[in-house]
Amino acid sequence: MPELPEVETTRQGIKPYIQGSQIESTIIRQYQLRWPIPTDLATILYRQKIHQVNRRAKYILIQCDSGTLILHLGMSGSLRILETSSPAAKHDHVDICFVNGYTLRYTDPRRFGAILWTGDPVEQHDLIKNLGPEPLSEQFNSDYLLKRSQQRRCSIKTLIMNGKIVVGIGNIYANEALFMAKIYPLTPANKLSKEVICQLVDAIKDVLQQAISAGGTTLKDFKQSDGKPGYFSQQLNVYGKKGGHCPHCGASIKLIKEAQRATYFCPQCQK
Ligand SMILES: [Zn+2]
């Protein structure tokens, strides 16, 4: 599943090819995604110019003349830039073709993604308006997280995966950040000291930033007529490493389930 770093990498990958260009045509082969694509989307997008390609949480926001296209990659979605309109394969649901000759192609085998349109300011959209701060923004800092954690008895892992507290921290990066900050994942959020919260905020920013930087190396693959789009495998310390050795102390990595999510930790480093 694309996590925030993949979405950010995607945004950075497609932006140079579409920002400033005008939409020539939109081909929609499948309207049934997580929510139906608006039936008049091709008409709405016709001749619109792209002003910005932004991201909020895991939504890519393509700001056009009269509104914003909201894209979500769901479980298996991806975006690619094609140089010419090469034949569509089975799961290539949407092509947005630009006057500059490039085509933005949306592919999604499981169809849990979304392509929506709003003519209103996008920050007021139902999917966007209640989101917590961006993890890499200054708004997400230790004072903020301390204040939020003091009100909660849920585990710290559950807290940082709550999109109303902070967006875009999926299970992989929650596991990795807690390992980096040496915090036992099931620690009640309100039991953490300011110092530890501070370490956690730094770890979250580091782990996401490292993943985005690593993803940047795949950017060159974004413009391709076939093949797999830019998801990348991150250098992970604990996630998926049950029974493996902790890179810090050598202890065996443990796996437990919390809130039905796989939770990996080092029993020595994360007490
Ligand atoms: Zn360890």
Side-chain angles (χ1 to χ4, degrees):
M1 171 160 52
E3 300 256 3
L4 184 141
E6 276 101 348
V7 178
E8 176 59 18
T9 300
T10 298
R11 182 190 75 82
Q12 292 175 11
I14 64 172
K15 181 176 164 171
Y17 301 100
I18 66 170
Q19 188 163 302
S21 191
Q22 198 178 25
I23 297 171
E24 174 72 59
S25 62
T26 302
I27 302 160
I28 303 168
R29 302 181 190 87
Q30 169 62 265
Y31 283 86
Q32 301 306 315
L33 300 182
R34 179 167 180 186
W35 300 286
I37 295 175
T39 49
D40 55 351
L41 187 66
T43 311
I44 292 171
L45 292 180
Y46 181 66
R47 291 284 166 188
Q48 296 232 27
K49 190 179 163 189
I50 308 302
H51 295 277
Q52 288 287 337
V53 182
N54 295 322
R55 180 187 57 73
R56 183 73 175 96
K58 294 207 286 182
Y59 295 98
I60 290 174
L61 308 175
I62 300 181
Q63 193 202 319
C64 305
D65 289 322
S66 73
T68 306
L69 194 62
I70 302 171
L71 290 109
H72 196 284
L73 302 177
M75 305 286 285
S76 59
S78 62
L79 288 165
R80 270 180 298 159
I81 296 287
L82 310 177
E83 230 166 298
T84 51
S85 44
S86 59
K90 191 176 175 193
H91 304 294
D92 296 338
H93 303 314
V94 177
D95 284 356
I96 301 176
C97 311
F98 291 84
V99 293
N100 64 10
Y102 289 117
T103 292
L104 179 67
R105 176 167 284 178
Y106 179 79
T107 306
D108 189 356
R110 295 180 65 184
R111 292 198 272 127
F112 282 111
I115 300 179
L116 300 169
W117 172 262
T118 179
D120 297 325
V122 71
E123 57 277 12
Q124 291 167 18
H125 192 275
D126 281 348
L127 292 170
I128 307 288
K129 65 184 181 192
N130 295 321
L131 295 172
E134 287 289 321
L136 295 172
S137 70
E138 284 178 17
Q139 220 188 326
F140 181 66
N141 56 42
S142 54
D143 288 340
Y144 168 83
L145 189 60
L146 185 67
K147 200 171 154 203
R148 291 309 182 96
S149 64
Q150 282 170 343
Q151 305 152 355
R152 310 275 176 147
R153 272 183 289 179
C154 67
S155 76
I156 187 62
K157 182 166 180 253
T158 298
L159 187 81
I160 61 174
M161 291 184 68
N162 179 345
K164 287 182 180 167
I165 303 290
V166 54
V167 298
I169 302 176
N171 196 35
I172 295 173
Y173 296 105
N175 276 288
E176 293 294 315
L178 288 163
F179 172 75
M180 207 187 266
K182 297 185 160 62
I183 299 168
Y184 177 59
L186 303 194
T187 311
N190 61 3
K191 296 278 188 256
L192 295 175
S193 67
K194 166 131 198 195
E195 192 192 354
V196 173
I197 288 282
C198 217
Q199 286 163 6
L200 178 58
V201 168
D202 287 348
I204 288 169
K205 289 177 190 278
D206 282 353
V207 81
L208 291 173
Q209 196 54 63
Q210 277 173 25
I212 291 167
S213 302
T217 63
T218 69
L219 282 182
K220 62 183 184 298
D221 301 327
F222 252 88
K223 187 163 71 65
Q224 56 184 8
S225 53
D226 49 40
K228 285 255 173 189
Y231 294 173
F232 45 92
S233 55
Q234 244 280 90
Q235 208 50 42
L236 300 172
N237 286 310
V238 287
Y239 186 85
K241 309 274 185 186
K242 183 191 171 194
H245 296 294
C246 166
H248 291 168
C249 73
S252 181
I253 303 293
K254 293 259 185 295
L255 168 63
I256 49 172
K257 286 264 176 181
E258 198 228 357
Q260 294 173 339
R261 290 176 187 278
T263 300
Y264 297 89
F265 66 101
C266 170
Q268 289 295 327
C269 297
Q270 294 171 268
K271 281 182 174 169

mmCIF file of all heavy atoms in Angstrom, residues 246 249 266 269, ligand 1:
data_model
loop_
_atom_site.group_PDB
_atom_site.id
_atom_site.type_symbol
_atom_site.label_atom_id
_atom_site.label_comp_id
_atom_site.label_asym_id
_atom_site.label_seq_id
_atom_site.Cartn_x
_atom_site.Cartn_y
_atom_site.Cartn_z
ATOM 1 N N CYS A 246 17.962 -7.307 16.143
ATOM 2 C CA CYS A 246 17.900 -5.854 16.281
ATOM 3 C C CYS A 246 19.246 -5.261 15.836
ATOM 4 O O CYS A 246 20.296 -5.707 16.299
ATOM 5 C CB CYS A 246 17.631 -5.493 17.742
ATOM 6 S SG CYS A 246 17.925 -3.754 18.103
ATOM 7 N N CYS A 249 21.127 -3.905 19.247
ATOM 8 C CA CYS A 249 21.598 -4.747 20.351
ATOM 9 C C CYS A 249 21.676 -6.233 19.989
ATOM 10 O O CYS A 249 22.175 -7.034 20.767
ATOM 11 C CB CYS A 249 20.682 -4.562 21.568
ATOM 12 S SG CYS A 249 19.077 -5.346 21.364
ATOM 13 N N CYS A 266 11.863 -4.341 19.364
ATOM 14 C CA CYS A 266 12.984 -5.008 20.021
ATOM 15 C C CYS A 266 12.712 -5.027 21.515
ATOM 16 O O CYS A 266 12.564 -3.961 22.127
ATOM 17 C CB CYS A 266 14.283 -4.267 19.743
ATOM 18 S SG CYS A 266 15.626 -4.909 20.773
ATOM 19 N N CYS A 269 15.589 -2.916 23.398
ATOM 20 C CA CYS A 269 15.702 -1.477 23.152
ATOM 21 C C CYS A 269 14.414 -0.710 23.458
ATOM 22 O O CYS A 269 14.452 0.473 23.749
ATOM 23 C CB CYS A 269 16.093 -1.195 21.708
ATOM 24 S SG CYS A 269 17.702 -1.834 21.245
HETATM 25 ZN ZN ZN B 1 17.545 -3.856 20.320
#
